Amino acid sequence: SVAAIDAAEQGAVAFVLIEKGEVFGEHYVSAGEPVNRDTLFQLASLSKWATAVGVMKLAADGKLDLDAPVSRYLTRWQLPESEFGTEGVTARRLLSHTAGLTDGLGYLGFEPGTPVQTLEASLTEAADAMPGADGRTRIGLAPGSTWSYSGGGYALLELLIEEISGEPFDAYMESEVFEPLGMSRATFDLAEAERAGLAPCFDAEGAPCAYRDFSAPAAASLHASAAGIARFLEARMEGGRRGLLPPDLAAAMFAPHASQFGLPIWGLGVMLYAEAPGGGFIAGHDGMNFSAIETTARLDPATGDGIIVLATGNPGLAATLGGEWVYWHAGRVDIRTLDGMAPFVGLALLAGWAVIIGLAGLVMWRSRAPKSS
């Protein structure tokens, strides 16, 4: 229930349920400055979904061949040579984490007052790599042979966007993605987000903290509001009213491009959480960073039903609610639960029924999506 979200008594949370492409329930809490549908949150790896749409827009405009070697488009930085060559690294494979990159990133970001690497330096070796990550964007596996999560691949896609468009990454995303979708306040720039109204940052214990800056914002630091992400999901629906992409490219994003253990797990820029009741997949992306930020946005494109959770200071909340919503909507355990939380499936599902039913019944019902973002 909404009370379950409030019970944590820490952090800041934006929670939205969507039905048939329209916001019908929303709830906002904060232990600091109030937050609402227009408050910006830093989204961590959920940012990759937006970046993927920016890449697909280049393809839709005829400026990018998704299956051509990305090296053909790059001048400022190139992948190091490898035993597998570089020709197999394509935009399609970067989007689906199947390009053979072994950086393992995960970016921690740079604390205030710390110099931020250039994008090229970060691609060579990220100074803010999460523990256990190699941090070097390089080819260590045969491209196309397997799925291996790569934040560095999205840093490379950021560079690709800049090289092809001739614009700074944030400027391109603003003009080609955010403005057409009515996401007027969305930005990859931390300073701009703080000026526009950014949710207070809390760490895992609920104490105030400072947001971090990133060399590769395409992978880790879009700032957007719940209202803005609702508009973004509307455009991802089948027949979305603000669709930026032709139907074939839009559908390709939600089609399987990577699998593990025989299960489809990834499209182009999105995780495939579970089969949807009417066919296709429930898709979206999660984000988590420096134990302070956790986000999720998940959508059944065929029905327009979805969930958005943007949070700081509440570790585990977004993934838990997202998984519970998938089970409630589709009657299936999502792939993240199967992968990392199998011992707790029973308890999670029992909790999920209570949370989702309570949220559906208690959250304020609204007849239309937010007007601003």
Side-chain angles (χ1 to χ4, degrees), residues 57 180-181 231 234-237 239-246 250:
K57 183 65 165 57
L181 296 182
R231 290 178 179 270
E234 179 190 333
R236 310 279 74 73
M237 290 172 53
R241 293 188 291 278
R242 298 184 181 90
L244 295 174
L245 305 175

Side-chain angles (χ1 to χ4, degrees), residues 19-41:
E19 186 175 83
K20 297 178 181 178
E22 301 288 342
V23 171
F24 75 88
E26 52 193 313
H27 187 62
Y28 304 93
V29 298
S30 177
E33 289 294 318
V35 299
N36 57 42
R37 63 173 59 178
D38 296 319
T39 304
L40 300 181
F41 283 75

Side-chain angles (χ1 to χ4, degrees), residues 348-373:
L349 296 184
L350 287 173
W353 296 332
V355 170
I356 296 299
I357 291 171
L359 287 168
L362 296 178
V363 174
M364 182 181 296
W365 294 80
R366 298 187 182 273
S367 61
R368 55 186 177 178
K371 294 292 187 182
S372 60
S373 60

Side-chain angles (χ1 to χ4, degrees), residues 108-168:
L108 287 174
F110 296 87
E111 295 182 357
T114 303
V116 177
Q117 282 182 297
T118 64
L119 180 58
E120 292 88 340
S122 181
L123 284 162
T124 300
E125 185 168 5
D128 60 335
M130 285 186 171
D134 179 281
R136 296 171 291 177
T137 303
R138 57 177 182 164
I139 307 165
L141 301 165
S145 64
T146 189
W147 178 87
S148 181
Y149 192 83
S150 169
Y154 275 73
L156 190 55
L157 289 170
E158 179 179 335
L159 180 64
L160 183 73
I161 286 173
E162 292 192 341
E163 294 262 40
I164 292 175
S165 70
E167 298 180 69

Side-chain angles (χ1 to χ4, degrees), residues 83-96:
E83 62 178 298
F84 306 106
T86 62
E87 293 292 290
V89 178
T90 66
R92 188 184 302 274
R93 287 173 172 168
L94 290 171
L95 288 167
S96 58

Side-chain angles (χ1 to χ4, degrees), residues 43-51 149 218-220 222 229 232-233 269 273 284-288 295-298 308-310:
L43 303 188
S45 285
L46 175 51
S47 309
K48 293 180 175 68
W49 191 359
T51 297
Y149 192 83
L222 173 61
I229 298 302
F232 182 81
L233 293 191
Y273 292 99
H285 215 295
D286 290 10
M288 183 177 67
T295 62
T296 194
R298 307 183 186 194
I308 300 164
V309 185
L310 313 178

